[in-house]
Amino acid sequence: MSHVFSEETHRNMLARIPHCTGREISDWLRAVEDGPSLFRFEEKVSWLRHEHDLAYGHAKAIIHEYDLRRAARKLR
C-alpha cells in the first residue's frame, strides 16, 4: 500500500487527529519517537494502530508526519 499523501489531504488529516483522539500531534510524534525501533512505514503504522487503538488513516498520517519531520532534521 502506498503511503503517499497529497499535501492538502495530509494537513486536513493532521488537523482532525487531536479532535478524534484527544491528543495533540506533538504527543503522537513523541509516542512514535519513544516506541519500538521499526524500519518500515507499514510496520510503524501497524504498531501505532494496535498499541493505541487508532484508525488506519490517523496512524498513517502520524507516521507520515513523523517521517517528514525526521527527514527535515537530517537536512539541517
Side-chain angles (χ1 to χ4, degrees):
M1 228 180 264
S2 174
H3 59 271
V4 177
F5 284 89
S6 75
E7 184 67 25
E8 181 180 3
T9 300
H10 179 64
R11 293 291 155 214
N12 288 338
M13 182 67 79
L14 285 181
R16 288 191 307 265
I17 287 173
H19 174 73
C20 295
T21 66
R23 291 176 68 179
E24 295 297 321
I25 295 299
S26 59
D27 294 337
W28 288 116
L29 297 175
R30 204 169 15 264
V32 174
E33 184 71 29
D34 294 342
S37 297
L38 301 170
F39 180 71
R40 294 179 52 219
F41 182 86
E42 288 297 331
E43 289 174 328
K44 294 176 196 176
V45 171
S46 181
W47 170 79
L48 196 57
R49 287 184 68 211
H50 292 93
E51 185 71 21
H52 297 281
D53 196 31
L54 290 176
Y56 177 74
H58 292 154
K60 189 173 169 180
I62 291 165
I63 298 301
H64 184 66
E65 183 68 15
Y66 176 81
D67 287 347
L68 287 173
R69 291 184 187 195
R70 188 168 171 230
R73 285 193 309 256
K74 286 184 178 182
L75 293 176
R76 293 183 188 168

